């Protein structure tokens, strides 16, 4: 069974600085999808970035980028030029592409604080 | 448009009440999900509907009854809940084509309190 581990329960970053959130996973599959979701105090889970395992190129979305290391089963999220609005709970998620498997495997989350 | 809407935003109910949560999406997604989320925890999957048919029930107690009247709507009927059922209930939807990894888009949630 797949597992997702987020080893940092809480992180802090100074405004305008860069922070990296870690995520590791365990799977025997060669093809899968990985996601980072952000959940601010407003509660809504918002997709930050998505990575297909078969793509070697790391995904980027504006100030957000990932460092995807398939062999190491690592999927870290880098937030550049951190803003106060980045403060939220961040969840890493894994999804198998197997037919009929709609489930996400979520990590336990990392709470990010942004200091002014 | 990647919007999933949920009503109500907040709900307080007694253990003998019957209430319903509603979720709606107009993205043409054919999979819809209900999650339960406790504070500071990741969402826990409850139900999955695909093509308006229940495809996954994660051993959820029968006091929670899902319904998918059409491809845009998802309801969760609540009856005889317990205080431990108090949580944030999230709805999500996703396409069933794999080209975008079946990315799930979440609604803002309903905060449920059971007294």
């Amino acid at each position: 069974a797949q597992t997702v581990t987020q080893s940092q329960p809480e992180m802090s970053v100074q405004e305008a600085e860069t922070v990296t959130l870690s995520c590791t996973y365990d799977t025997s599959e060669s093809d899968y999808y990985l996601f980072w979701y952000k959940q601010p105090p407003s509660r809504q889970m918002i997709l930050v970035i998505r990575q297909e395992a078969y793509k070697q190129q790391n995904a980027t979305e504006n100030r957000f980028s990932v460092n995807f290391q398939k062999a190491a089963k690592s999927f870290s999220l880098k937030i550049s030029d951190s803003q106060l609005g980045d403060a939220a709970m961040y969840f890493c998620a894994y999804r198998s592409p197997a037919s009929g498997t709609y489930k996400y495997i979520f990590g336990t989350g990392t709470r990010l604080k942004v200091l002014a | 448009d990647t919007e999933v809407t949920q009503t109500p935003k907040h709900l307080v109910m007694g253990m003998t009440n019957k209430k319903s949560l509603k979720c709606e999406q107009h993205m043409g997604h054919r999979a819809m999900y209900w999650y339960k989320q406790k504070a500071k925890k990741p969402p826990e999957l409850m139900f999955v509907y695909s093509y308006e048919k229940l495809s996954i029930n994660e051993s959820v107690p029968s006091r929670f009854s899902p319904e998918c009247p059409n491809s845009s709507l998802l309801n969760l009927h609540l009856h005889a809940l317990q205080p431990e059922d108090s949580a944030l209930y999230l709805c999500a939807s996703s396409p069933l084509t794999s080209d975008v990894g079946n990315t799930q888009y979440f609604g803002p949630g309903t905060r449920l309190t059971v007294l």
Side-chain angles (χ1 to χ4, degrees):
Chain A
Q2 297 88 8
T3 59
V4 176
T5 301
Q6 292 180 252
S7 58
Q8 307 151 316
E10 193 169 294
M11 295 279 287
S12 295
V13 62
Q14 206 71 33
E15 200 176 3
E17 298 294 310
T18 296
V19 65
T20 298
L21 309 184
S22 69
C23 173
T24 58
Y25 56 94
D26 189 25
T27 184
S28 58
E29 298 176 315
S30 59
D31 192 21
Y32 45 86
Y33 298 91
L34 296 164
F35 306 85
W36 278 100
Y37 281 88
K38 165 186 177 180
Q39 189 175 36
S42 64
R43 311 174 323 200
Q44 186 158 7
M45 296 271 286
I46 302 165
L47 177 69
V48 176
I49 203 162
R50 170 181 59 224
Q51 175 80 43
E52 293 93 334
Y54 63 86
K55 289 187 177 178
Q56 294 188 352
Q57 186 174 6
N58 289 328
T60 62
E61 286 288 341
N62 301 313
R63 297 182 294 107
F64 299 87
S65 61
V66 297
N67 183 4
F68 173 50
Q69 301 288 330
K70 190 172 184 180
K73 297 180 183 175
S74 172
F75 182 59
S76 60
L77 175 69
K78 186 172 86 169
I79 306 174
S80 304
D81 186 25
S82 296
Q83 301 175 0
L84 294 176
D86 295 332
M89 195 76 165
Y90 286 80
F91 290 101
C92 178
Y94 171 102
R95 199 192 76 77
S96 166
S99 176
T101 303
Y102 307 110
K103 293 175 64 170
Y104 277 4
I105 309 297
F106 283 100
T108 51
T110 296
R111 179 165 300 281
L112 178 66
K113 296 183 176 181
V114 181
L115 309 173
Chain B
D1 182 10
T2 56
E3 186 177 13
V4 177
T5 59
Q6 289 187 245
T7 54
K9 288 185 179 179
H10 302 273
L11 179 62
V12 179
M13 60 187 290
M15 290 190 285
T16 59
N17 291 157
K18 285 185 180 181
K19 297 286 184 183
S20 296
L21 309 185
K22 180 180 171 181
C23 173
E24 194 165 5
Q25 58 90 13
H26 294 286
M27 295 178 279
H29 291 168
R30 302 306 297 275
M32 297 186 76
Y33 311 74
W34 280 116
Y35 288 88
K36 173 183 178 180
Q37 187 180 26
K38 290 284 200 177
K40 300 183 181 181
K41 298 290 187 182
E44 298 173 31
L45 184 65
M46 299 174 72
F47 303 103
V48 180
Y49 274 82
S50 60
Y51 298 107
E52 296 87 70
K53 287 185 169 39
L54 183 65
S55 58
I56 295 177
N57 177 343
E58 293 286 287
S59 303
V60 179
S62 60
R63 57 185 184 269
F64 295 91
S65 176
E67 178 196 20
C68 191
N70 60 55
S71 60
S72 300
L73 276 175
L74 185 67
N75 298 320
L76 186 63
H77 303 298
L78 314 172
H79 174 54
L81 295 192
Q82 303 296 309
E84 59 264 29
D85 296 323
S86 298
L88 180 67
Y89 287 83
L90 293 166
C91 174
S93 71
S94 76
L96 282 172
T97 53
S98 62
D99 55 338
V100 288
N102 300 114
T103 301
Q104 293 183 26
Y105 296 91
F106 287 82
T110 294
R111 174 75 64 195
L112 174 67
T113 302
V114 181
L115 301 176

